Amino acid sequence: MGEIDELVEKINWKHSAGAWKPIIYLKRHFSPEDIRPYYYLADLCIVSSLHDGMNLVAKEYVASQADLKGRWF
């Protein structure tokens, strides 16, 4: 298990409430159609350097927000 996997597990273990957990970690490829609902529902999107196209992912996330106020950190 990698460092990120361990951190996600630790945070979820500490802060989960019933079936709810603060981090839903989806570590796989998504088509644009598959990922769009997650972008819309998310409060935060972390774009990692594991794959090319990071700038496009960030723009897709912001564009999917109804209020167009995606947060950049």
Side-chain angles (χ1 to χ4, degrees):
M1 190 182 286
E3 184 178 344
I4 299 296
D5 299 304
E6 290 175 11
L7 184 58
V8 167
E9 188 175 307
K10 180 180 178 181
I11 291 169
N12 280 340
W13 182 85
K14 183 176 181 181
H15 299 286
S16 293
W20 180 86
K21 52 187 176 177
I23 299 175
I24 300 172
Y25 185 44
L26 306 171
K27 188 177 167 181
R28 66 179 182 88
H29 174 78
F30 287 87
S31 70
E33 295 79 25
D34 291 337
I35 196 72
R36 194 169 292 118
Y38 293 105
Y39 285 156
Y40 182 74
L41 293 172
D43 293 321
L44 176 71
C45 177
I46 297 177
V47 181
S48 71
S49 61
L50 296 176
H51 301 285
D52 291 337
M54 294 183 311
N55 61 333
L56 296 177
V57 172
K59 290 175 184 177
E60 290 168 358
Y61 169 72
V62 172
S64 71
Q65 302 303 299
D67 62 4
L68 297 179
K69 293 182 180 179
R71 307 295 189 252
W72 294 91
F73 297 97

